[in-house]
Amino acid sequence: MGADHAAIVAQELPGATLQVVCDMDAARAKAVADRLGAADVATDPEAVIARTDVDAVIVASPDFTHASLSRACIAAGKRVLCEKPLSQQSAECLAVMQAEIAAGSRFVMLGFMRRFDQSYVEMKQALDQGRLGRALMMHNFHRNVETPNAEFTGAMAITNSAPHEFDVVRHVLGTEYIAISAHQPRRSDALVAPVVMVLETADGQLVTIEVNNNAAYGYDIRAELVGEAGSVSMTPVSYSRMDSRLSAATQYESDWRGRYHEAYVRQNRAFLRFVETGDFPAIGSGCWDGYCAALVAETGVKALQSGTRQPVTMIERPEFYK
Ligand code: ISE
């Protein structure tokens, strides 16, 4: 993701300059910097955040470093676009929130890029304009070709993949979750089986999420928002169709980077405007959203492991994030 973000900054973000590429592997940083024309390379992120020729930061490092690097950006007074998750621990998200509140201004935008995807934008519009009536249900399918490694578990499907749905669904519906249950069917092999979740919202809606990290056939994201007066569903995103030998075929992307390229560009442009103006993007996600996603994921893991419905108990939304 770091190299993808660097390419967007260098090639698709008029007004921004790719100044420093930082990676603990110096050769990898140099390869990206040379390819994209960055001014400098580095291996120490804290030192990069402190540099006077760096106005803003994109964090795309391993998940467990996100919270501390975001806090370093807040301390340096620099706006940061941090890849999801802010942290997998809700308590750590709260600590970043507190640092931001203490700094008195918004610094952290999170990389929940699906909010910028046209399909979800249209779903939210249809609901907000009253064309669907009251929302009743939102169904979601999240399928990856295969897990990144053999140690991937059902709990990781909830903490690593499902946060996209946790975030975008509460954004589209404009509500919070109050309970979650989670189940897995049995596979015939040792691969991790899909996780199927049912979430209840504070407004009495039901949300279903299937995360299948070993779907084998392609990267496939689907969603349908069902209201009392109509429904809106995502159509498969594909620029062409092959007709041949009595059949018609479209292709799947192999992962999210191609499927959501346009969303990443829109998101990063919104981040740039945030850096320039200080106004937090209307549809962007921030620390509060990171906390919500992490808390729901933690509760979802408990639901899966206990086989029981678990209440989602969130703190009250701080005034700063209203
Ligand atoms: C992965 O962890 C991500 O972060 C991607 O954005 C998502 O689309 C993918 O399916 C996840 O597994």
Side-chain angles (χ1 to χ4, degrees):
M1 276 316 306
D4 281 31
H5 279 296
I8 291 173
V9 173
Q11 296 163 347
E12 303 192 66
L13 231 50
T17 305
L18 182 65
Q19 192 70 3
V20 187
V21 175
C22 181
D23 195 301
M24 62 186 290
D25 177 345
R28 199 164 116 160
K30 186 167 182 329
V32 172
D34 286 350
R35 179 161 54 83
L36 298 169
D40 204 357
V41 291
T43 52
D44 175 359
E46 309 264 352
V48 171
I49 291 166
R51 281 172 68 143
T52 52
D53 61 347
V54 169
D55 302 320
V57 180
I58 298 181
V59 170
S61 49
D63 290 5
F64 70 90
T65 64
H66 290 181
S68 61
L69 292 177
S70 295
R71 288 183 68 169
C73 291
I74 296 170
K78 296 187 184 167
R79 303 225 149 77
V80 54
L81 172 62
C82 179
E83 262 300 334
K84 50 70 59 179
L86 180 56
S87 167
Q88 291 195 4
Q89 275 81 49
S90 60
E92 205 177 21
C93 296
L94 284 177
V96 185
M97 263 168 59
Q98 272 145 19
E100 194 173 42
I101 293 171
S105 153
R106 299 290 293 267
F107 284 101
V108 184
M109 179 171 161
L110 283 185
F112 278 124
M113 77 300 183
R114 289 202 198 170
R115 291 176 175 222
F116 294 85
D117 178 69
Q118 188 62 19
S119 313
Y120 291 110
V121 168
E122 289 176 16
M123 271 185 190
K124 185 161 176 55
Q125 260 168 15
L127 185 64
D128 293 350
Q129 291 167 357
R131 286 185 281 144
L132 304 176
R134 184 181 166 275
L136 283 173
M137 295 176 285
M138 189 154 162
H139 303 293
N140 303 271
F141 298 82
H142 180 154
R143 295 178 183 162
N144 290 85
V145 175
E146 59 185 5
T147 53
N149 54 58
E151 284 74 48
F152 205 92
T153 61
M156 286 160 79
I158 299 176
T159 56
N160 183 290
S161 303
H164 281 292
E165 276 78 16
F166 297 153
D167 181 72
V168 80
V169 172
R170 58 181 279 284
H171 166 68
V172 168
L173 295 178
T175 187
E176 300 295 358
Y177 306 110
I178 57 162
I180 180 168
S181 49
H183 312 271
Q184 282 185 291
R186 214 177 24 244
R187 278 189 71 114
S188 63
D189 53 25
L191 296 177
V192 65
V195 177
V196 178
M197 286 159 269
V198 180
L199 294 102
E200 298 158 46
T201 75
D203 294 324
Q205 294 126 347
L206 287 183
V207 174
T208 61
I209 304 175
E210 173 209 294
V211 177
N212 183 356
N213 293 97
N214 278 306
Y217 65 88
Y219 183 71
D220 187 10
I221 303 296
R222 305 181 204 172
E224 179 177 11
L225 170 57
V226 184
E228 290 175 358
S231 137
V232 52
S233 41
M234 199 175 273
T235 47
V237 177
S238 183
Y239 291 108
S240 60
R241 187 191 68 197
M242 164 84 82
D243 295 300
S244 156
R245 296 169 189 254
L246 303 178
S247 71
T250 52
Q251 282 206 312
Y252 286 102
E253 296 284 350
S254 57
D255 66 32
W256 60 91
R257 292 171 308 156
R259 166 66 182 81
Y260 287 111
H261 179 76
E262 191 57 41
Y264 280 113
V265 172
R266 288 176 171 195
Q267 166 194 267
N268 292 11
R269 288 187 177 159
F271 174 62
L272 182 61
R273 280 193 296 278
F274 173 41
V275 172
E276 289 166 344
T277 64
D279 297 331
F280 193 80
I283 65 166
S285 59
C287 288
W288 168 251
D289 306 291
Y291 161 77
C292 295
L295 186 81
V296 176
E298 279 169 354
T299 315
V301 171
K302 280 189 212 147
L304 181 71
Q305 286 168 351
S306 65
T308 58
R309 169 187 180 275
Q310 294 286 322
V312 175
T313 319
M314 288 177 23
I315 63 157
E316 209 182 310
R317 187 175 184 137
E319 202 52 46
F320 187 79
Y321 293 105
K322 282 183 185 160

